[in-house]
């Protein structure tokens, strides 16, 4: 039942779960394209500026919840359900009505990507600003300033494990707070 | 922030792999059973005639069959609820197995028991204990269950919390049943149901807040 696309994506994720960073980057790229198309189809007319917010929230959720993908199952339904969950959540906070059938994620694979050029948002920056001091320094360094874990550890005089833990916790907090900052 | 930059930072910051959500859930079930058992044995204890009652008293045994079935069916559904797409097309009706058994037992009891005794059998003598102790025994199983489901990725938080409450209620009621001397299905249908629904309602309300991500 799983399509070819599903098979390719699942292979990438399996490699990523074994620690292959390159495969993980490729997986997240492809996942972001699929999500962007499916979300754009539903939000283009009602909330176009929200599309990339939803894409980024979805990627973060996929990252934080990737242990909930069962490696023997198809991956597109998993990704699609997460994206729909995030889209509905974001739209509810904004007061935008949205319907997002899960079939979108199977259908959107064909056709050109008509959503170039909107891939930057202030979404994450705003959420990072709500983190506590230590987590904020770590997340800012890695996510916003593009430093590696090692460089961040050196700059902040922490060990790498502590940086990894702080980064992970910071991302979890951000995922919780998206759109709820007051 | 550009989405590409987000992707780059996510790939760079891979944390240690997490435990499988199904294992976490199994752990929570086990811990919940141990805690509910400990709470029962350390407080009220099993009834003195436990062994005689367990030997062929169908009303007494029915209490365990129904409560264990409830906990088991809720657990089966929770094993799916921890995955984002898990409850899509899930056989939610399995949760009706325990109520169906209880209903059959009630009908049997109504046939066996003379009509004038129905009222006293239903009201029993331990109604108040039942209503307070089942929710109390179920508190820790509920907490463990919610914690475990939170490690997964439930996309239906209130329903998932409700199921956790039913599982906790089934566990708590099974251990409470070892103490309670009211064995009539009429009593169980009245008091146990209310006590378990208290936990299920609490689970749904808590799930609606705690199980979002």
């Amino acid at each position: 039942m799983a399509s070819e696309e599903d098979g390719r994506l699942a292979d990438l994720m399996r490699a990523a779960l074994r620690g292959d960073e390159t495969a993980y980057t490729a997986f997240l790229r492809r996942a972001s394209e699929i999500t962007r198309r499916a979300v754009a189809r539903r939000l283009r007319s009602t909330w176009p500026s929200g599309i990339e917010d939803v894409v980024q929230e979805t990627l973060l959720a996929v990252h934080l919840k990737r242990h909930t993908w069962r490696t023997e199952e198809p991956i597109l339904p998993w990704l699609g359900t997460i994206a729909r969950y995030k889209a509905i959540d974001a739209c509810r906070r904004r007061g935008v009505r949205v319907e997002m059938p899960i079939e979108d994620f199977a259908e959107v694979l064909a056709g050109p990507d008509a959503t170039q050029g909107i891939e930057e948002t202030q979404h994450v920056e705003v959420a990072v600003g709500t983190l506590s001091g230590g987590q904020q320094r770590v997340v800012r360094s890695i996510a916003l300033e593009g430093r590696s874990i090692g460089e961040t550890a050196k700059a902040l005089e922490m060990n790498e494990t502590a940086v990894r833990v702080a980064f992970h916790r910071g991302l979890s907090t951000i995922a919780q707070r998206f759109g709820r900052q007051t | 922030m550009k989405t590409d930059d987000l992707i780059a930072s996510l790939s760079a910051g891979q944390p240690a792999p997490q435990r499988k959500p199904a294992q976490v859930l199994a752990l929570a079930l086990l811990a919940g059973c141990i805690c509910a058992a400990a709470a029962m044995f350390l407080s009220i204890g099993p009834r003195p005639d436990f062994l005689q009652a367990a030997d062929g008293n169908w009303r007494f045994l029915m209490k365990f069959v129904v409560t264990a079935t409830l906990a088991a069916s809720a657990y089966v559904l929770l094993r799916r609820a921890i995955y984002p797409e898990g409850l899509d097309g899930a056989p939610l009706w399995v949760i009706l197995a325990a109520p169906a058994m209880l209903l059959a037992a009630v009908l049997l009891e109504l046939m066996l028991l003379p009509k004038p005794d129905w009222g006293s059998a239903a009201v029993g003598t331990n109604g108040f204990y039942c209503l307070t102790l089942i929710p109390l025994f179920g508190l820790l199983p509920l907490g463990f269950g919610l914690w475990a489901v939170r490690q997964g990725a439930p996309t239906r938080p209130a329903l998932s919390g409700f199921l956790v409450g039913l599982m906790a209620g089934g566990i708590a009621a099974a251990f409470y049943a070892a103490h309670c001397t009211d064995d009539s299905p009429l009593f169980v249908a009245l008091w146990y149901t209310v006590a378990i629904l208290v936990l299920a309602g609490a689970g749904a309300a808590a799930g609606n807040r705690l199980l979002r991500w």
Side-chain angles (χ1 to χ4, degrees):
Chain A
M1 212 187 95
S3 65
E4 241 175 86
E5 173 70 31
D6 195 298
R8 274 196 299 274
L9 207 58
D11 284 342
L12 286 175
M13 184 57 134
R14 272 189 286 266
L17 291 173
R18 287 192 300 269
D20 182 340
E21 270 184 29
T22 318
Y24 193 43
T25 307
F27 168 82
L28 289 172
R29 283 241 169 81
R30 190 67 190 128
S32 72
E33 287 163 22
I34 293 169
T35 305
R36 188 175 299 116
R37 284 188 202 181
V39 173
R41 186 163 153 181
R42 300 291 159 178
L43 288 188
R44 196 176 289 130
S45 55
T46 47
W47 183 27
S49 64
I51 297 169
E52 207 56 24
D53 289 357
V54 173
V55 170
Q56 293 188 359
E57 283 189 38
T58 302
L59 288 180
L60 198 48
V62 158
H63 177 73
L64 293 169
K65 296 291 186 184
R66 65 197 189 286
H67 61 286
T68 66
W69 175 56
R70 291 161 286 179
T71 52
E72 72 287 356
E73 297 283 323
I75 200 164
L76 283 175
W78 177 80
L79 172 65
T81 310
I82 291 179
R84 182 179 54 177
Y85 179 75
K86 286 292 162 187
I88 290 172
D89 189 39
C91 289
R92 190 182 293 144
R93 290 190 317 252
R94 268 292 287 236
V96 178
R97 282 182 58 84
V98 67
E99 301 251 335
M100 192 158 298
I102 194 71
E103 292 75 35
D104 278 13
F105 289 83
E107 291 165 10
V108 289
L109 304 171
D113 189 346
T115 53
Q116 296 296 331
I118 50 161
E119 284 155 28
E120 185 159 6
T121 80
Q122 295 302 309
H123 208 38
V124 176
E125 281 89 338
V126 174
V128 169
T130 70
L131 292 177
S132 68
Q135 281 180 4
Q136 181 169 156
R137 278 193 293 276
V138 169
V139 175
R140 206 169 270 290
S141 165
I142 298 169
L144 303 184
E145 289 152 21
R147 292 205 193 96
S148 71
I149 298 271
E151 291 162 1
T152 303
K154 212 169 274 170
L156 299 179
E157 294 179 347
M158 299 164 69
N159 70 44
E160 292 202 9
T161 312
V163 170
R164 274 176 203 280
V165 170
F167 185 54
H168 187 76
R169 296 220 174 115
L171 292 181
S172 306
T173 311
I174 289 176
Q176 295 273 334
R177 290 198 186 155
F178 267 137
R180 294 185 186 83
Q181 313 86 341
T182 43
Chain B
M1 172 176 215
K2 286 205 170 96
T3 301
D4 270 350
D5 297 339
L6 177 67
I7 290 172
S9 66
L10 292 184
S11 343
Q14 289 222 44
Q18 281 174 276
R19 200 188 283 272
K20 290 212 170 4
Q23 291 172 355
V24 177
L25 186 66
L27 212 64
L29 174 70
L30 187 69
C33 288
I34 292 172
C35 288
M40 190 276 287
F41 280 107
L42 296 177
S43 57
I44 50 178
R47 58 198 255 187
D49 65 337
F50 182 88
L51 291 176
Q52 292 99 299
D55 186 22
N57 176 350
W58 72 269
R59 292 185 176 87
F60 182 66
L61 296 175
M62 172 275 312
K63 297 195 294 185
F64 298 99
V65 174
V66 168
T67 51
T69 301
L70 179 68
S73 53
Y75 178 71
V76 165
L77 290 175
L78 281 171
R79 277 182 60 99
R80 301 188 57 154
I82 50 180
Y83 304 107
E85 78 285 27
L87 284 179
D88 292 346
L92 290 175
W93 52 265
V94 298
I95 207 67
L96 296 176
M101 284 176 183
L102 184 57
L103 184 66
V106 164
L107 293 177
L108 183 61
E109 179 77 331
L110 291 179
M111 283 193 290
L112 293 174
L113 211 62
K115 206 168 186 174
D117 296 340
W118 288 2
S120 59
V123 174
T125 51
N126 291 313
F128 174 73
Y129 283 118
C130 175
L131 280 189
T132 44
L133 290 178
I134 290 181
L136 271 179
F137 291 172
L139 266 185
L140 283 175
L142 179 69
F144 289 137
L146 289 170
W147 168 81
V149 174
R150 233 182 105 87
Q151 318 291 308
T155 45
R156 297 176 70 179
L159 176 62
S160 303
F162 184 75
L163 290 171
V164 174
L166 288 181
M167 181 175 81
I171 295 169
F175 285 104
Y176 172 76
H179 165 81
C180 183
T181 49
D182 286 308
D183 294 337
S184 171
L186 302 182
F187 179 90
V188 175
L190 181 63
W191 301 102
Y192 280 47
T193 305
V194 173
I196 291 170
L197 284 178
V198 167
L199 277 169
N208 203 23
R209 300 181 64 88
L210 300 177
L211 298 181
R212 294 186 181 281
W213 45 277

